[in-house]
Amino acid sequence: MAYSGALKSAGIGYGHMPCTGAFESAGIGRTYFDGLKALVYSFKTYTSAFENAGIGTAYASAFKSAAKGRILFQIYSLLIFVGACFIFAYRLSHIPAKGEPGRWAWMGLFFSELWFCFYWFVTTVVRWNPIYRNTFKDRLSHRYEKALPGIDIFVCTADPVIEPPVMVINTVLSVMAYDYPPEKLSVYLSDDGGSDLTFYAMLEASRFSKIWLPFCKKFKVEPRSPEAYFRTAVEPLGEPVFAKEWSTVKMLYEDMKKRIENTTKLGQISEEISKEHKGFNEWILVASRRDHQTILQILIDGRDSEAVDIQGQPLPTLVYLAREKRPQYHHHFKAGAMNALVRVSSRISNSPIILNVDCDMHSNNSKLVRDALCFFMDEEKGNEVGFVQFPQAFENLTKNDVYSSSLNVIMELELPGFDGNGGPCYIGTGCFHRRETLSGKKYKKNYKADWKRWSNRSVEESTSVLEETSKVLASCSYEENTQWGKEIGLKYDCAVEDVLTGLAMQCRGWRSIYFNPERKGFLGVAPTTLLQSLVQHKRWSEGDFQIFASRNCPFVLGYKKIPLKLQLSYCIYLLWAPNCLATLYYATVPSLCLLRGISLFPQISDSWVLAFAFVIFIHRAYSLGECIWFGGTFKGWWNDQRMWVYKRTTSYFFGLLDYILKRLGFTKSAFVITTKVADDDVSQRYEQEVMEFGTSSPMFTILATLALLNAFCFFGGLKKVIADLETLVWERFALQILLCGLLVFINLPVYQGLFLRKDVASLPPSVSYQSTIFALLACAIALY
């Protein structure tokens, strides 16, 4: 474009939308910039404004733009819709007469296809109008550098065995080292395990931070998790000064890591270590991890003039909290921990912006805080923003993502689609909140954030007094007869408290923003076994459906409060659990009917078959293209198809079953923590993309039963077709044979685990026996 060079010569960092500076020079002061609207203006109108204003006044710090190429998606959607209409027309016009075999199977298939079509429609609504955002952090700094707000950062951990202390402190150190004024950062660790091992690791981290933070800032280190950095960085031999410091800091980190790991393996704190800090005395009174007083220790007090690094620069405040737990009180899992942190931090630092991260999600981008503030501090739209959600990404994914853990399509397409429909959901980690939204405040049109008021607040008490007076805020009884967990803080009594809390914020009028920077904001640890992945999705699907089937359903809670398209968007996740019914039906009934000789699809010579073939080909081809576009591989796409079937037939089924049992009062809520570490053998198989079974589980029994059932039906049906080749029976069953054969091919890893593999990660004999009996029984019932 002709005006691009003019802006370059003027010295403006214009990012993707070159005319933003012109708006500011023309007097339209705005930090949030809508790139689409800007295109309708002519650059010539504002050329003189640039020349006269002198570049350097305020200009846009963020903007959004619609995704390119949406016309192709819209054409694809239209084609799928037309194809689906033909399929339904075939189903309705060819219903078997009463008394004919397969009538009920036919009707069941029709209703399953109706469900698939409805769910596809919801998916299409989400993906119809994704928007993508960009920020200009230099412009934010130019305007607000001296008035930047404080940031409270919450890191949550719950078990020192499943979530090792070394991993936890790497996350803590990575957020302490943000490219942000350290005196305005306060980092809080919630230790729901109440472990002195984790406290010891935090004490070590507080000492190491005095060396790590100046090292990061001096050499602009990325990422700022020591473990991640030294694992990926190459020693800078060509730069003597850097190389010397690099080696020294690495050695100090390895020494600290070794001390922590040795203590963790020992399982207790030595007498020598316990003398290093008064905080260890708290564990004298600890009965167990589920029965102890509040333990609150301010390890670094940012107000203290002596709390400085080796270069004399101030350090962020660092706080360890293990909230009180008693057997007679429900502690509400992560939601309870977060609410305790909200209260305690309000007493110690009370920053207007809160970032929460899981202990396994270390920061991968030191400028992330400034990215988030570009939205919160926008002059035109910033006051509406309740939270800014960053994507989840994982650093331990294999090339072909064997368990489909990358969430690429969700993070790259679906959440931007949420943003286009009214705002993303809150996903529990990597999210910046306005403190007032977590305090239950409703958004009002005349609301305006007073950043100066927040900045001028100071606490006069000494560190020890502050610790003691803050402990009551994390006590078990504090929430009694209050609105905490209901109208204030994170919501209780839901397995996915994050999604419900985000929905409630949006219904109170707050806007949410999704931002996916080029350099990922956070990197975590993906499940390394099949069971971990399935259990995780089981919890998510159960909690999501619990929201849908309650008064918190978006169509009820969000009625006239959020847009209808956003209400529909939530259904893409809230309806995961009932997806199991249609999928289980499609994975079993057509195969059993094939074995019995009942046709459920048009024969290959019938023109109706074109509708099925067209929808199958177009839908799967688009899915493959989508996967490749977002950095996947063909094998990765195939793994995703396999996991799609596995999750719907096991995780979502047990999620739905558990929800029903809880409603009937047979089971109670439980929070399952996914392990963040793996044995060397497990890690090796994961890196080789060998599917990990290795244990007996009802989920594996279902997977193996379905795999064997489809194998029996496939070969039984194929035998009938080959025996009657002359009568062209195969034409009637071509699509059923294709569907059954596809399910057999998808289940190849299951057959290997049942019959071919002899390692410890194969399926146990008990699963083999049970699944074989169940599959044979189902086939016998179908035949007789």
Side-chain angles (χ1 to χ4, degrees):
M1 299 176 77
Y3 52 82
S4 192
L7 288 173
K8 282 183 182 176
S9 0
I12 296 182
Y14 57 87
H16 294 294
M17 298 304 302
C19 51
T20 54
F23 274 82
E24 295 298 331
S25 306
I28 306 177
R30 55 187 293 190
T31 33
Y32 183 94
F33 184 76
D34 188 333
L36 293 178
K37 294 179 182 178
L39 292 175
V40 302
Y41 291 90
S42 166
F43 172 74
K44 292 180 181 178
T45 311
Y46 301 99
T47 304
S48 58
F50 274 105
E51 294 172 352
N52 299 330
I55 310 309
T57 58
Y59 29 78
S61 60
F63 73 84
K64 66 180 180 181
S65 60
K68 297 178 181 178
R70 298 319 292 164
I71 187 66
L72 295 176
F73 175 76
Q74 291 160 7
I75 292 171
Y76 151 79
S77 301
L78 179 62
L79 292 174
I80 291 290
F81 175 74
V82 172
C85 288
F86 276 103
I87 290 174
F88 294 144
Y90 168 75
R91 286 287 176 213
L92 292 173
S93 61
H94 290 73
I95 299 175
K98 287 185 179 180
E100 285 190 23
R103 177 181 171 85
W104 290 110
W106 184 283
M107 295 301 294
L109 216 57
F110 171 61
F111 287 118
S112 296
E113 288 160 353
L114 273 178
W115 173 263
F116 289 142
C117 188
F118 166 73
Y119 195 76
W120 167 82
F121 168 73
V122 172
T123 305
T124 303
V125 169
V126 174
R127 300 182 181 193
W128 193 260
N129 183 40
I131 60 173
Y132 298 90
R133 301 178 184 273
N134 205 348
T135 59
F136 299 98
K137 295 177 285 294
D138 54 335
R139 302 177 184 184
L140 175 82
S141 300
H142 177 83
R143 177 178 291 183
Y144 293 116
E145 189 63 35
K146 293 182 180 179
L148 291 173
I151 309 291
D152 286 347
I153 304 174
F154 298 168
V155 181
C156 296
T157 185
D159 191 316
V161 176
I162 296 175
E163 298 166 334
V166 167
M167 181 187 69
V168 173
I169 64 161
N170 267 279
T171 298
V172 168
L173 287 166
S174 72
V175 296
M176 288 180 73
Y178 272 131
D179 180 13
Y180 200 74
E183 66 275 11
K184 296 186 177 182
L185 289 176
S186 299
V187 181
Y188 296 80
L189 177 75
S190 169
D191 178 18
D192 256 13
S195 170
D196 52 355
L197 300 175
T198 303
F199 176 73
Y200 168 62
M202 284 287 285
L203 181 62
E204 288 280 8
S206 68
R207 296 164 178 164
F208 182 68
S209 66
K210 298 177 181 181
I211 300 164
W212 178 246
L213 269 60
F215 174 75
C216 289
K217 292 171 183 178
K218 181 177 180 180
F219 297 107
K220 298 186 178 358
V221 164
E222 293 285 1
R224 296 192 173 180
S225 156
E227 183 70 26
Y229 175 70
F230 289 120
R231 186 176 61 244
T232 56
V234 178
E235 186 174 355
L237 298 175
E239 303 175 56
V241 176
F242 186 16
K244 183 179 179 182
E245 289 198 40
W246 191 93
S247 300
T248 302
V249 173
K250 183 180 181 183
M251 181 185 69
L252 290 171
Y253 170 69
E254 294 295 342
D255 288 345
M256 177 187 71
K257 178 181 175 182
K258 187 176 181 180
R259 289 194 300 273
I260 294 172
E261 288 181 338
N262 287 342
T263 303
T264 303
K265 286 177 183 176
L266 188 62
Q268 61 183 17
I269 300 298
S270 67
E271 186 177 345
E272 182 181 352
I273 293 175
S274 64
K275 294 176 182 178
E276 295 179 8
H277 195 280
K278 63 181 178 63
F280 289 110
N281 295 330
E282 295 281 354
W283 273 269
I284 297 173
L285 303 173
V286 172
S288 72
R289 58 178 293 183
R290 293 181 178 84
D291 187 6
H292 61 80
Q293 77 285 8
T294 298
I295 303 172
L296 175 63
Q297 294 293 313
I298 301 176
L299 296 171
I300 301 176
D301 189 342
R303 304 169 304 160
D304 188 350
S305 58
E306 295 183 6
V308 294
D309 61 30
I310 58 173
Q311 294 184 350
Q313 297 300 311
L315 288 168
T317 295
L318 182 63
V319 180
Y320 171 90
L321 172 68
R323 60 191 170 119
E324 183 185 17
K325 284 189 177 180
R326 301 299 178 191
Q328 64 270 32
Y329 289 94
H330 197 308
H331 58 82
H332 300 293
F333 311 111
K334 182 181 174 181
M338 281 283 291
N339 286 343
L341 285 174
V342 171
R343 295 192 297 271
V344 169
S345 65
S346 70
R347 182 77 181 82
I348 297 173
S349 51
N350 200 37
S351 298
I353 305 296
I354 292 172
L355 164 64
N356 85 279
V357 294
D358 288 343
C359 65
D360 64 320
M361 299 290 293
H362 70 78
S363 175
N364 186 56
N365 185 339
S366 64
K367 300 186 182 299
L368 210 64
V369 175
R370 295 176 184 271
D371 279 321
L373 290 180
C374 284
F375 300 103
F376 283 114
M377 302 188 76
D378 167 58
E379 291 179 349
E380 183 178 316
K381 298 287 186 180
N383 291 320
E384 301 174 4
V385 177
F387 63 91
V388 178
Q389 179 65 64
F390 287 80
Q392 272 188 298
F394 304 101
E395 61 180 345
N396 65 327
L397 296 177
T398 59
K399 180 183 177 182
N400 298 304
D401 194 10
V402 64
Y403 299 123
S404 188
S405 303
S406 68
L407 307 177
N408 270 353
V409 172
I410 292 177
M411 298 300 162
E412 302 286 348
L413 188 58
E414 289 179 358
L415 285 181
F418 266 76
D419 207 356
N421 289 343
C425 55
Y426 167 38
I427 60 176
T429 183
C431 187
F432 288 82
H433 301 267
R434 192 184 296 274
R435 180 178 286 273
E436 290 152 310
T437 64
L438 290 173
S439 301
K441 184 173 182 177
K442 292 183 178 180
Y443 172 74
K444 296 180 180 179
K445 288 186 178 180
N446 60 353
Y447 168 79
K448 188 173 182 179
D450 186 355
W451 302 110
K452 289 183 179 178
R453 177 178 66 84
W454 289 96
S455 301
N456 293 333
R457 183 184 181 277
S458 61
V459 179
E460 301 298 332
E461 292 98 328
S462 66
T463 302
S464 56
V465 171
L466 194 57
E467 287 175 347
E468 289 303 316
T469 55
S470 299
K471 284 182 179 179
V472 66
L473 301 174
S475 64
C476 291
S477 59
Y478 186 87
E479 294 182 352
E480 285 188 319
N481 302 316
T482 71
Q483 290 299 306
W484 282 98
K486 299 172 185 175
E487 296 300 322
I488 304 175
L490 272 72
K491 300 283 188 177
Y492 291 160
D493 303 321
C494 181
V496 285
E497 71 290 326
D498 42 15
V499 176
L500 180 55
T501 301
L503 174 61
M505 289 177 186
Q506 291 169 329
C507 292
R508 289 198 290 263
W510 295 102
R511 179 83 163 84
S512 60
I513 298 291
Y514 180 69
F515 184 58
N516 189 0
E518 185 175 347
R519 181 180 179 88
K520 296 299 181 187
F522 302 94
L523 289 179
V525 181
T528 55
T529 71
L530 178 60
L531 190 59
Q532 287 174 15
S533 182
L534 295 179
V535 168
Q536 189 177 62
H537 278 270
K538 179 252 176 191
R539 180 174 68 85
W540 290 344
S541 63
E542 179 191 343
D544 286 336
F545 188 66
Q546 179 186 346
I547 295 173
F548 183 81
S550 70
R551 63 183 179 180
N552 294 314
C553 175
F555 298 111
V556 178
L557 185 65
Y559 180 65
K560 291 186 177 181
K561 296 177 183 176
I562 59 176
L564 177 60
K565 57 185 179 181
L566 183 57
Q567 296 172 28
L568 280 168
S569 297
Y570 268 98
C571 292
I572 198 173
Y573 305 130
L574 303 191
L575 293 178
W576 268 352
N579 263 322
C580 70
L581 301 176
T583 307
L584 279 167
Y585 193 91
Y586 235 87
T588 54
V589 174
S591 300
L592 292 171
C593 287
L594 171 64
L595 186 65
R596 191 168 180 178
I598 300 173
S599 175
L600 297 176
F601 295 93
Q603 62 183 23
I604 204 72
S605 58
D606 194 332
S607 58
W608 285 107
V609 80
L610 294 176
F612 287 88
F614 179 77
V615 170
I616 292 169
F617 176 77
I618 293 291
H619 194 265
R620 291 301 86 200
Y622 177 81
S623 171
L624 174 59
E626 199 173 63
C627 178
I628 301 296
W629 179 261
F630 290 119
T633 63
F634 177 81
K635 191 173 180 181
W637 170 78
W638 182 249
N639 287 335
D640 185 61
Q641 306 306 295
R642 176 183 294 117
M643 288 303 297
W644 183 91
V645 174
Y646 287 4
K647 286 183 288 191
R648 287 184 175 217
T649 54
T650 58
S651 302
Y652 299 171
F653 172 72
F654 281 105
L656 181 63
L657 183 63
D658 269 18
Y659 168 76
I660 294 170
L661 292 176
K662 283 173 186 172
R663 292 294 294 174
L664 296 175
F666 292 113
T667 60
K668 294 182 180 181
S669 297
F671 189 90
V672 180
I673 305 169
T674 307
T675 183
K676 307 303 189 300
V677 288
D679 296 336
D680 292 339
D681 291 344
V682 173
S683 296
Q684 186 177 4
R685 285 189 291 271
Y686 175 69
E687 289 166 7
Q688 294 171 349
E689 300 189 337
V690 175
M691 193 159 280
E692 184 86 18
F693 299 104
T695 186
S696 180
S697 165
M699 292 191 180
F700 289 162
T701 302
I702 288 182
L703 285 182
T705 299
L706 291 174
L708 291 173
L709 183 146
N710 278 283
F712 296 156
C713 292
F714 178 72
F715 291 110
L718 208 58
K719 182 181 177 182
K720 284 186 178 181
V721 168
I722 293 172
D724 294 327
L725 276 177
E726 294 180 2
T727 59
L728 300 179
V729 172
W730 68 274
E731 286 193 1
R732 294 174 53 216
F733 296 102
L735 284 183
Q736 270 167 274
I737 291 172
L738 178 64
L739 174 61
C740 193
L742 190 63
L743 288 168
V744 169
F745 194 49
I746 274 179
N747 282 304
L748 285 179
V750 177
Y751 302 132
Q752 291 170 352
L754 284 169
F755 306 117
L756 302 179
R757 289 169 54 183
K758 303 300 180 185
D759 58 7
V760 294
S762 61
L763 282 163
S766 59
V767 173
S768 303
Y769 300 147
Q770 291 170 12
S771 58
T772 302
I773 293 170
F774 292 149
L776 288 173
L777 184 62
C779 291
I781 292 172
L783 283 172
Y784 304 106

